[in-house]
Amino acid sequence: MVDIPDSHPRKNSLESRNKIVQGSRKGLLADSALIAHGRGEAFDYLLGEKTSEIANLAIKEVSARLLVAKKPVISVNGNTVILAGRNFIRIAAALGCPIEVNLYYTTPERVSGLISLLEEQRKEVVLEDFKRGENWKKKILAVDFLGLETDYKIAGLDGPRANCCKAGIGDSDTVLVPLEDGDRCEALVNELKEVLVIDLNPLSRTARMATVTIVDEVSRASEEIFKEVTKRNNIPSDWDNLVSLNESLKIISSSFLKDSNY
Amino acid sequence: MVDIPDSHPRKNSLESRNKIVQGSRKGLLADSALIAHGRGEAFDYLLGEKTSEIANLAIKEVSARLLVAKKPVISVNGNTVILAGRNFIRIAAALGCPIEVNLYYTTPERVSGLISLLEEQRKEVVLEDFKRGENWKKKILAVDFLGLETDYKIAGLDGPRANCCKAGIGDSDTVLVPLEDGDRCEALVNELKEVLVIDLNPLSRTARMATVTIVDEVSRASEEIFKEVTKRNNIPSDWDNLVSLNESLKIISSSFLKDSNY
């Protein structure tokens, strides 16, 4: 992996890119995952590679909804595990909910590879968080990693991507699903679940179908979600997702107009 | 390769994505090439996946400048060859100039793999263009594919990416270079060459450093450049590149504002 100096203005973005390239070399990602990452890079660049005010509000809303959910679940794909697996393990520990590896282009090898990576990340989290005490450690160790054996089908989807776990997505009332595809997002909404997504493209079908969309980069957003679910001081509001997406659109659009004065 | 129905509104974009994935599997691309393609996809999506009016003007300007150049050259990377190699072979035949394979992350294997791919594409062009007659066929067969043996260094660049061919980029007065990186674009401009680029991101350093920037997808733009250089009816103007980039920025920005009324 190339060493990027701390002074580089786009260090985080380049490090994320390296992680995705490494993950791809290890066979953890479908080919299209690198292309999807590139699309995300472009949108994040336009957002100034920082969490906006409206993204912060969406993060608080998502955290509030996760805390009041009866059966929340975190659905992750390869990019999510590689970029932010440890943050999602912490969020799952704080909520006492499972993490389900659920892939668009799924193979048993990739699912088990990603579950192994989550197991490694869990060990890192235990070491990093040792000051939080035994109770926290127990919660981290108790997080279930699902996805290897599917026993539930999401209604309205064809083929392998309909498959998921009953104990995970199947029985859940609320799904936190970073980087989801549009069809599946729609199918989950049709199952009357709350679908909370993290998507850098405010125009994507996923962003527009979801109950709450955080328009932000997944590792930044997940770090903030963890802080918020730990504080436990947010309550769900009447969230108008399209209004919030319009705020993100305005930020991107003004970044173009600002730069056009070069 | 997945078969995409003709009716799909984003058929071209998905076919390009498939080509890049296939090229990557064959080892013709650096890992970062897929990510770069994804960034391009995002910008093309915002441009409505069509050639804008200002891109059309830039295409005419580029064609005019190529026609009056004393020693033009076309510098190509993996994505360019995979997405639009045949178009560039035709442009080179019309101009009587060489094509140089010049890669950011270069290896002899990738350069020779891409030259082999260009040779295959040349055969396809000969077959497809048989109605254009013997003279055209001779021009197609005469196009030099350079890049395997480098004997010139671009001033102001370190490491392998400074290397190029004297008979190609080295001695040229005008370089048509789709999908270039910012540093090298700047170094070529500093060598007092005309640098004509095709770049979907109007904010990129390459786009801003170049003499003329076509903000358009490389296969669409190259098809139009070929038509223009064949017509031979454009003459170079006093091109203000930043003004033209601002036009592209406005298009993208208005695509966001339009969509925000959903």
Side-chain angles (χ1 to χ4, degrees):
Chain A
M1 196 177 292
V2 188
D3 214 25
I4 303 155
D6 284 340
S7 60
H8 195 293
R10 303 193 50 244
K11 182 179 170 74
N12 290 339
S13 174
L14 297 175
E15 281 187 343
S16 291
R17 187 188 297 175
N18 276 342
K19 284 184 196 168
I20 290 288
V21 167
Q22 298 301 323
S24 171
R25 287 192 187 149
K26 287 180 194 151
L28 294 172
L29 299 173
D31 299 300
S32 59
L34 275 83
I35 294 177
H37 184 74
R39 284 198 300 279
E41 271 190 4
F43 282 104
D44 200 22
Y45 176 83
L46 298 175
L47 286 164
E49 291 172 1
K50 59 175 191 273
T51 304
S52 67
E53 216 168 300
I54 184 66
N56 247 317
L57 289 178
I59 284 166
K60 288 187 206 298
E61 183 68 27
V62 160
S63 307
R65 289 178 184 231
L66 286 170
L67 286 168
V68 300
K70 289 204 181 70
K71 265 185 93 56
V73 64
I74 302 173
S75 173
V76 294
N77 68 5
N79 293 33
T80 304
V81 175
I82 288 167
L83 294 175
R86 290 180 304 178
N87 292 342
F88 285 106
I89 292 169
R90 289 187 175 100
I91 295 167
L95 297 170
C97 81
I99 292 178
E100 176 167 343
V101 175
N102 196 277
L103 309 179
Y104 189 91
Y105 298 107
T106 195
T107 67
E109 293 72 29
R110 271 210 294 275
V111 175
S112 74
L114 289 168
I115 288 179
S116 302
L117 180 53
L118 281 167
E119 291 290 0
E120 282 175 45
Q121 291 174 335
R122 187 210 302 265
K123 285 178 200 156
E124 291 166 19
V125 171
V126 166
L127 289 174
E128 284 171 16
D129 291 4
F130 77 99
K131 279 188 183 162
R132 286 176 188 257
E134 273 306 301
N135 197 29
W136 178 244
K137 183 178 169 183
K138 267 185 207 157
K139 285 183 178 176
I140 292 288
L141 294 175
V143 175
D144 264 337
F145 299 145
L146 308 173
L148 214 45
E149 281 161 41
T150 59
D151 52 2
Y152 185 91
K153 279 188 192 295
I154 303 168
L157 288 180
D158 292 329
R161 69 201 172 115
N163 296 333
C164 66
C165 298
K166 192 167 183 305
I169 293 171
D171 279 346
S172 69
D173 61 339
T174 301
V175 190
L176 173 60
V177 55
L179 319 178
E180 180 55 294
D181 80 279
D183 281 352
R184 205 154 48 179
C185 181
E186 185 171 1
L188 292 171
V189 168
N190 288 341
E191 290 209 346
L192 303 180
K193 298 180 195 296
E194 295 244 307
V195 185
L196 313 172
V197 308
I198 305 171
D199 191 328
L200 277 159
N201 177 1
L203 294 171
S204 79
R205 214 151 63 78
T206 298
R208 303 208 152 258
M209 291 298 310
T211 322
V212 181
T213 304
I214 300 168
V215 180
D216 197 14
E217 193 275 327
V218 67
S219 65
R220 286 199 307 270
S222 55
E223 207 169 312
E224 293 306 310
I225 294 171
F226 175 59
K227 285 183 198 160
E228 292 298 331
V229 294
T230 311
K231 281 195 256 166
R232 296 184 174 266
N233 61 1
N234 297 302
I235 50 166
S237 76
D238 252 359
W239 182 262
D240 189 327
N241 205 41
L242 293 186
V243 166
S244 119
L245 290 171
N246 286 350
E247 287 304 307
S248 297
L249 288 169
K250 281 181 202 155
I251 294 166
I252 296 178
S253 159
S254 72
S255 107
F256 275 110
L257 295 175
K258 183 186 72 218
D259 281 312
S260 75
N261 295 327
Y262 272 3
Chain B
M1 196 176 290
V2 188
D3 213 25
I4 302 155
D6 283 340
S7 59
H8 196 294
R10 303 193 49 245
K11 182 177 168 76
N12 291 340
S13 173
L14 296 175
E15 280 186 343
S16 291
R17 186 189 298 177
N18 277 341
K19 284 183 197 167
I20 290 288
V21 167
Q22 299 301 322
S24 171
R25 287 192 188 149
K26 286 180 195 149
L28 294 172
L29 298 173
D31 300 300
S32 59
L34 276 84
I35 294 177
H37 183 75
R39 284 198 301 278
E41 271 190 4
F43 283 104
D44 200 22
Y45 175 83
L46 298 176
L47 286 164
E49 291 172 2
K50 59 176 192 273
T51 303
S52 68
E53 216 167 300
I54 184 67
N56 247 318
L57 289 178
I59 284 167
K60 288 188 205 298
E61 183 68 28
V62 160
S63 307
R65 290 180 183 229
L66 286 170
L67 286 167
V68 300
K70 290 206 179 68
K71 267 186 93 55
V73 64
I74 302 172
S75 172
V76 295
N77 67 5
N79 292 33
T80 304
V81 175
I82 287 167
L83 295 175
R86 291 181 303 178
N87 292 342
F88 286 105
I89 291 170
R90 289 187 174 100
I91 296 167
L95 297 170
C97 82
I99 293 178
E100 175 167 342
V101 175
N102 195 278
L103 310 179
Y104 190 90
Y105 297 108
T106 196
T107 68
E109 293 73 27
R110 271 210 294 274
V111 175
S112 75
L114 289 167
I115 288 179
S116 302
L117 179 53
L118 281 166
E119 291 291 0
E120 282 176 44
Q121 291 174 336
R122 187 209 301 268
K123 286 180 199 155
E124 290 165 19
V125 170
V126 167
L127 290 174
E128 284 171 14
D129 291 4
F130 76 99
K131 280 188 183 161
R132 285 177 188 256
E134 273 306 303
N135 198 28
W136 178 244
K137 183 178 169 184
K138 266 185 209 155
K139 285 184 179 175
I140 292 288
L141 293 174
V143 175
D144 264 338
F145 299 145
L146 309 173
L148 214 45
E149 281 160 40
T150 59
D151 53 1
Y152 185 90
K153 280 188 190 297
I154 303 168
L157 288 179
D158 293 329
R161 70 200 171 116
N163 297 333
C164 66
C165 299
K166 193 168 183 306
I169 293 171
D171 279 346
S172 69
D173 62 340
T174 302
V175 190
L176 172 60
V177 55
L179 319 177
E180 179 57 293
D181 80 278
D183 280 352
R184 206 154 47 181
C185 181
E186 184 170 2
L188 292 170
V189 169
N190 288 342
E191 289 209 347
L192 303 180
K193 299 180 195 297
E194 295 244 307
V195 185
L196 313 172
V197 308
I198 305 173
D199 190 328
L200 277 159
N201 177 2
L203 294 172
S204 80
R205 214 151 63 79
T206 298
R208 304 209 151 257
M209 291 299 308
T211 323
V212 181
T213 304
I214 300 168
V215 179
D216 198 14
E217 193 276 326
V218 68
S219 65
R220 285 199 308 269
S222 54
E223 208 169 312
E224 293 306 309
I225 294 171
F226 175 59
K227 287 183 198 159
E228 293 297 331
V229 293
T230 312
K231 282 195 257 170
R232 293 182 175 270
N233 63 0
N234 298 301
I235 50 165
S237 77
D238 252 0
W239 181 261
D240 188 328
N241 205 41
L242 292 186
V243 166
S244 118
L245 289 172
N246 285 351
E247 288 303 307
S248 297
L249 288 170
K250 280 181 202 155
I251 295 166
I252 296 178
S253 152
S254 72
S255 106
F256 274 110
L257 294 175
K258 185 184 71 217
D259 281 311
S260 75
N261 295 328
Y262 274 2

